[in-house]
Amino acid sequence: MVKQNISVWEFLFGGGLLSVCLVIILLFLGIAAIFFFVQKLVALNRENRVDPYLLKNVNDLLNDGRIQSAIDFCRRDNSPESRSVEKGLSRLGRPVGEISNAMETHAQIELNRAEKNISFLATLSGAAPMLGLLGGVLVLASTFGTLSKTETVVSQNLLAADFYKALAPSAVGLIVGFLSYVFHNILVAKVDYLLMKIQYHTNEFLDIINKPS
């Protein structure tokens, strides 16, 4: 009697040594991608929180001539935007172009920090499906190599029993690749939003120090 249902466990780990090893590797990479995504998402969400009155408070302190107090306020806020504004405050009295360049350079540093290791997900989104496909092809090659040495009836039974084993690495690779692709795009959107906010605060700060007396 032909078995109708195959459990998930049997589907994933019912193949040969090569198939099982590839599935384990891909599952490990998938778990690593999930942990990395959650950790990075929490960090970016924390960085994307900014005091809505940051520029107003800085402007008020500058109007009172309290430059050091404005710098201390930015340090206490300790967000990417406030760190960029602090960079500009620390160069007050220098040419505006120099202040702008310093803030833009700092914005790039913040961007590089936010993007750190995100490329891991981009790489995994492409590598995982290819690794799974390679595993499936190798398993099928091994299966057909065995079939060529057996009788026809036995070959059909072996093919029916072993064909699904080649699908496990491919399926897991596709799932891991899809999740990594989605995770990567979400994090990139968060980074782009962070960069936009830094640029906005940079431009607003330059307007503050350039306003007519």
Side-chain angles (χ1 to χ4, degrees), residues 55 80-81 84-85 100 103-104 106-108 110-111 191-207:
L55 291 172
E81 296 84 0
S84 181
V85 172
S100 176
M103 296 182 72
E104 289 177 0
H106 185 78
Q108 187 61 47
E110 294 288 350
L111 177 63
V191 171
D192 289 343
Y193 179 64
L194 177 64
L195 178 61
M196 181 271 294
K197 292 199 291 114
I198 294 175
Q199 291 173 338
Y200 168 79
H201 282 77
T202 297
N203 292 334
E204 290 297 307
F205 175 76
L206 293 174
D207 287 342

Side-chain angles (χ1 to χ4, degrees), residues 2 20-21 33 38 55 91 112 115 127 132 137 144 151 158 191-192 197:
V2 179
V20 172
C21 289
V38 172
L55 291 172
R91 283 167 170 73
N112 292 339
E115 289 180 330
V137 170
F144 281 110
E151 298 178 359
L158 283 174
V191 171
D192 289 343
K197 292 199 291 114

Side-chain angles (χ1 to χ4, degrees), residues 46-94:
R46 183 171 59 248
E47 293 283 75
N48 274 320
R49 289 199 298 267
V50 61
D51 183 356
Y53 300 105
L54 171 64
L55 291 172
K56 180 181 182 304
N57 291 330
V58 168
N59 186 34
D60 292 342
L61 291 169
L62 290 179
N63 288 336
D64 293 338
R66 301 163 60 189
I67 297 177
Q68 186 58 48
S69 296
I71 293 175
D72 292 339
F73 174 78
C74 289
R75 287 174 179 172
R76 287 193 301 271
D77 186 74
N78 195 32
S79 64
E81 296 84 0
S82 65
R83 291 192 290 268
S84 181
V85 172
E86 179 192 346
K87 189 65 65 173
L89 287 169
S90 66
R91 283 167 170 73
L92 284 179
R94 300 182 184 181

Side-chain angles (χ1 to χ4, degrees), residues 7-162:
S7 66
V8 175
W9 181 268
E10 185 178 357
F11 174 72
L12 294 177
F13 304 109
L17 179 61
L18 175 61
S19 176
V20 172
C21 289
L22 287 173
V23 168
I24 291 175
I25 292 172
L26 288 168
L27 288 176
F28 174 78
L29 291 174
I31 293 172
I34 292 173
F35 274 103
F36 173 79
F37 169 72
V38 172
Q39 182 183 31
K40 197 70 175 180
L41 183 64
V42 171
L44 287 175
N45 284 337
R46 183 171 59 248
E47 293 283 75
N48 274 320
R49 289 199 298 267
V50 61
D51 183 356
Y53 300 105
L54 171 64
L55 291 172
K56 180 181 182 304
N57 291 330
V58 168
N59 186 34
D60 292 342
L61 291 169
L62 290 179
N63 288 336
D64 293 338
R66 301 163 60 189
I67 297 177
Q68 186 58 48
S69 296
I71 293 175
D72 292 339
F73 174 78
C74 289
R75 287 174 179 172
R76 287 193 301 271
D77 186 74
N78 195 32
S79 64
E81 296 84 0
S82 65
R83 291 192 290 268
S84 181
V85 172
E86 179 192 346
K87 189 65 65 173
L89 287 169
S90 66
R91 283 167 170 73
L92 284 179
R94 300 182 184 181
V96 175
E98 184 177 338
I99 296 175
S100 176
N101 289 337
M103 296 182 72
E104 289 177 0
T105 300
H106 185 78
Q108 187 61 47
I109 293 173
E110 294 288 350
L111 177 63
N112 292 339
R113 182 184 301 165
E115 289 180 330
K116 185 178 180 180
N117 296 328
I118 289 181
S119 59
F120 161 70
L121 292 176
T123 302
L124 188 58
S125 68
M130 289 191 291
L131 181 60
L133 180 61
L134 175 62
V137 170
L138 292 177
V139 172
L140 283 177
S142 176
T143 299
F144 281 110
T146 303
L147 293 179
S148 64
K149 302 175 183 179
T150 59
E151 298 178 359
T152 303
V153 176
V154 178
S155 296
Q156 292 175 349
N157 293 334
L158 283 174
L159 182 61
D162 292 348

